C-alpha cells in the first residue's frame, strides 16, 4: 500500500531530499553509493524499493558492509508495527512511504527494537523480524544499509523476556534471569542460530557493551553490578549496588541502569570498568521513579515518566536529573543535545517543553483518536519515537502514524494511514 506524501521528505544526517512520490532514495555521488546485489540465499523476500545493484568493477565492499545489503546515500528509516490482538504486522518504509506485510505475530506482549531487528515475545517464544534497514556508525563517518525484510523465526523466551543487542551479539534474558547469547551473524543470515547459555542467573536485562556484558547479580535485595565476557565469565565487579533496578539504556557515555536512588552509569576506560552513581538528589517516592528510559539513538539525554504527571530528563553528560512538570502524560522523548522535551499528553496532543525552564514551547492539535489508551492493545500504548530530524507518534485507535518535524514547532510533516492497529511500534534503520 502506498501512502501519499504530505510534506517534504524524511531527512537525516546526509541531507539529500527525495522528490515527492519517488520510490527510491535520491542519488549520491558514485564514490559514496557502493551497493551490492541482494543475496539470493537466505532471503525470505525481495525488497523492490532497494537501490540499484552495484555495477562497479571493483569487488571491494564498503567498510561495515554486511552480506545481502545495499548501501544508500541516507539513513533508511523504517517503522516496525504490530497489533497483538490480530497478529497484523507491518514494516513502514519512511523513505518510500510504502508498507510491507510481515507474517502475523499474534499475542505479542512487547516490542523491542535494536536499530535493525524487532523482537516480539509471545507465549510461543520470541519472534524476530529483520526490518532490512540499519546504520553502521564509525564515528567519523557512517554507512546506511537496506536489504530484504524477512522473518528470522523464533527464539526461546516468552512474556517477560528482555532482549538487548549490540553490533556483535544479542543477549536474551528470561524472567527467571537465565541468559542466552546469540551471535549477530546468524540473524543477519536469516536464522536465529544456536545460542550459548551463560552460567548463573541475573537481575534484569543483561546488556552487551564494549565487547562485554553488563549485568546485575541475582541478589534479591541488593544486586551488584558485574561485567562478564561474552562466554559469561566474570571479568570485573565495580562494586556498586543498585536497589530496585528498573530500566536501562546504552549511551555514548556507557550503560545507564535505573535504581531506587537514581541511576548507575557503567563505563569502560582503558580496559577498566567503573560504576558511577547519578542520584536524584532528593527522596523520590517509588511511584515517581524512572522505570523505563527512552531516547534518540546516539544521544546522551534520556527521558522517563516521573509518575503520571511529570517527566524525568537525565543528562548523562552532566550527570544531572531534571523533573519537568507536564500534567497527565502518556509518553515522552527528546532528541537531546539542546532539543525540547516532547510529551504526548492525556489530551491526545504532543507538547514541547524547554527542559531548562520547564515552560511549554509548542503544541500540536490532538493526534490520538479518543482517550490515550483507546484502541491500544494491553501490550502497548502510544509512543514517541525520535531520530535525528523527525519524531513518530502512533495512534492505535485511528490506525495512523504521525511524522513530526520537531525542529519546526512540532509541525505534522506526514500522516500515514494504515490498514492495521499500530499498538506496538519501533523505529529501525538508525
Amino acid at each position: 500500500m502506498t501512502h501519499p506524501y504530505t510534506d517534504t521528505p524524511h531527512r537525516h544526517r546526509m541531507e539529500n531530499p527525495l522528490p515527492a512520490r519517488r520510490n527510491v532514495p535520491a542519488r549520491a555521488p558514485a564514490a559514496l553509493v557502493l551497493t551490492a546485489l541482494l543475496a539470493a540465499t537466505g532471503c525470505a523476500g525481495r525488497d523492490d524499493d532497494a537501490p540499484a545493484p552495484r555495477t562497479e568493477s571493483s569487488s571491494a565492499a564498503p567498510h561495515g558492509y554486511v552480506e545481502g545489503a545495499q548501501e544508500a546515500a541516507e539513513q533508511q528509516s523504517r517503522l516496525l508495527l504490530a497489533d497483538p490482538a490480530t497478529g497484523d504486522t507491518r514494516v513502514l518504509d519512511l523513505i518510500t512511504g510504502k508498507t510491507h506485510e510481515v507474517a502475523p505475530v499474534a499475542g505479542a506482549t512487547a516490542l523491542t527494537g535494536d536499530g535493525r531487528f524487532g523482537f516480539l515475545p509471545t507465549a510461543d517464544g520470541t519472534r524476530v523480524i529483520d526490518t532490512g534497514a540499519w546504520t553502521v556508525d564509525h564515528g567519523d563517518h557512517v554507512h546506511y544499509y537496506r536489504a530484504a525484510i524477512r522473518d528470522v523465526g523464533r527464539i526461546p523466551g516468552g512474556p517477560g523476556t528482555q532482549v538487548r543487542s549490540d553490533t556483535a551479539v544479542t543477549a536474551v534474558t528470561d524472567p527467571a534471569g537465565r541468559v542466552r547469547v546469540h551471535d549477530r551473524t546468524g540473524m543477519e543470515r536469516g536464522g536465529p542460530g544456536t545460542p550459548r547459555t551463560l552460567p548463573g542467573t541475573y537481575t534484569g536485562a543483561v546488556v552487551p557493551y564494549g565487547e562485554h556484558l553488563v549485568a546485575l547479580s541475582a541478589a534479591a535485595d541488593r544486586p551488584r553490578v558485574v561485567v562478564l565476557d561474552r562466554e559469561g565469565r566474570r571479568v570485573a565487579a565495580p562494586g556498586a549496588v543498585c536497589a530496585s533496578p528498573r530500566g536501562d539504556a546504552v549511551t555514548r557515555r556507557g550503560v545507564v541502569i535505573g535504581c531506587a536512588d537514581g541511576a548507575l552509569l557503567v563505563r569502560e576506560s582503558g580496559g577498566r570498568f567503573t560504576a558511577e552513581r547519578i542520584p536524584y538528589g532528593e527522596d523520590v517516592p517509588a511511584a515517581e521513579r524512572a522505570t523505563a528510559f527512552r531516547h534518540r539513538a546516539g544521544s546522551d539525554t534520556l527521558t522517563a515518566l516521573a509518575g503520571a504527571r511529570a517527566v524525568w530528563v537525565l543528562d548523562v553528560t552532566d550527570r544531572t536529573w531534571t523533573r519537568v512538570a507536564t500534567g497527565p502524560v502518556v509518553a515522552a522523548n527528546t532528541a537531546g543535545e539542546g532539543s525540547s522535551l516532547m510529551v504526548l499528553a492525556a489530551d491526545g496532543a504532543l507538547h514541547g517543553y524547554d527542559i531548562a525552564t520547564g515552560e511549554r514551547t509548542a503544541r500540536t492539535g490532538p493526534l490520538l483518536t479518543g482517550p490515550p489508551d483507546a484502541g491500544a492493545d494491553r501490550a502497548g500504548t502510544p509512543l514517541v519515537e525520535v531520530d535525528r530530524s523527525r519524531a513518530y507518534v502512533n495512534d492505535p485507535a485511528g490506525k495512523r502514524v504521525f511524522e513530526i518535524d520537531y525542529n519546526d514547532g512540532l509541525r505534522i510533516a506526514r500522516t500515514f494511514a494504515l490498514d492495521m492497529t499500530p499498538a506496538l511500534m519501533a523505529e529501525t534503520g538508525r
Side-chain angles (χ1 to χ4, degrees):
M1 179 177 67
T2 302
H3 304 289
Y5 288 104
T6 60
D7 186 49
T8 53
H10 193 75
R11 299 183 184 180
H12 300 277
R13 186 180 303 186
M14 297 184 68
E15 294 289 336
N16 290 318
L18 303 177
R21 301 183 184 274
R22 292 259 334 249
N23 287 338
V24 296
R27 290 192 299 270
L32 288 178
V33 185
L34 299 175
T35 56
L37 286 170
L38 278 172
T41 304
C43 289
R46 183 183 166 197
D47 186 351
D48 293 329
D49 296 314
R54 172 173 153 186
T55 58
E56 291 87 343
S57 59
S58 171
S59 60
H63 193 200
Y65 171 73
V66 176
E67 184 67 28
Q70 298 178 317
E71 190 171 11
E74 66 175 343
Q75 187 169 305
Q76 301 297 293
S77 297
R78 292 173 175 177
L79 293 177
L80 177 58
L81 306 165
D83 178 7
T86 64
D88 290 338
T89 307
R90 304 283 189 274
V91 175
L92 171 60
D93 190 322
L94 296 169
I95 298 295
T96 67
K98 290 184 177 181
T99 55
H100 301 259
E101 189 169 349
V102 180
V105 185
T109 57
L111 168 57
T112 300
D114 66 5
R116 174 176 177 176
F117 296 93
F119 302 89
L120 295 127
T122 72
D124 298 325
T126 295
R127 207 44 190 282
V128 184
I129 305 296
D130 183 353
T131 66
W134 66 96
T135 296
V136 178
D137 193 338
H138 294 294
D140 60 341
H141 68 284
V142 294
H143 296 273
Y144 305 115
Y145 293 103
R146 62 190 289 126
I149 299 165
R150 52 189 177 182
D151 187 345
V152 176
R154 294 184 186 273
I155 59 178
T161 295
Q162 300 184 78
V163 183
R164 304 290 186 268
S165 303
D166 65 8
T167 58
V169 299
T170 294
V172 181
T173 309
D174 71 18
R178 295 182 295 264
V179 184
R180 294 178 306 280
V181 176
H182 295 255
D183 287 329
R184 191 78 163 178
T185 53
M187 292 184 183
E188 290 169 352
R189 293 169 180 165
T194 302
R196 54 186 178 277
T197 301
L198 304 189
T201 58
Y202 298 91
T203 301
V206 172
V207 182
Y209 168 70
E211 300 182 3
H212 292 79
L213 302 167
V214 173
L216 293 172
S217 66
D221 54 344
R222 294 175 62 82
R224 293 180 176 272
V225 174
V226 295
V227 180
L228 315 172
D229 66 16
R230 295 296 168 88
E231 302 300 324
R233 293 182 291 263
R234 186 175 298 189
V235 298
V241 172
C242 182
S244 304
R246 292 285 300 276
D248 58 86
V250 177
T251 73
R252 293 172 298 177
R253 307 285 175 178
V255 178
V256 174
I257 304 173
C259 308
D261 60 352
L264 286 175
L265 174 62
V266 182
R267 59 187 312 197
E268 183 269 337
S269 179
R272 179 173 175 266
F273 285 88
T274 60
E276 179 182 353
R277 195 169 300 281
I278 309 177
Y280 286 121
E282 59 182 280
D283 185 16
V284 177
E288 297 178 9
R289 296 171 186 165
T291 60
F293 297 106
R294 298 195 65 79
H295 70 307
R296 176 181 61 76
S299 169
D300 294 327
T301 306
L302 310 182
T303 65
L305 301 191
R309 302 183 63 85
V311 175
W312 287 112
V313 179
L314 173 57
D315 186 324
V316 182
T317 301
D318 292 340
R319 315 292 200 268
T320 58
W321 291 89
T322 301
R323 185 180 185 275
V324 181
T326 61
V329 56
V330 177
N333 212 330
T334 181
E337 300 172 357
S339 296
S340 63
L341 170 67
M342 286 173 279
V343 175
L344 185 62
D347 62 4
L350 187 67
H351 301 249
Y353 289 85
D354 183 297
I355 295 172
T357 66
E359 295 182 359
R360 190 173 71 181
T361 58
R363 179 185 183 277
T364 68
L367 302 180
L368 302 183
T369 304
D373 58 352
D377 188 86
R378 63 184 180 278
T381 56
L383 298 174
V384 182
E385 284 277 9
V386 180
D387 62 28
R388 288 186 174 274
S389 62
R390 295 290 193 265
Y392 297 92
V393 177
N394 56 324
D395 173 23
K399 297 185 177 182
R400 300 176 296 182
V401 171
F402 295 94
E403 179 180 84
I404 307 296
D405 184 349
Y406 57 78
N407 290 314
D408 189 13
L410 301 183
R411 178 176 58 86
I412 298 175
R414 289 188 286 178
T415 301
F416 297 97
L418 304 167
D419 64 348
M420 47 85 68
T421 299
L424 301 175
M425 178 176 73
E427 186 177 0
T428 64
R430 56 193 186 181

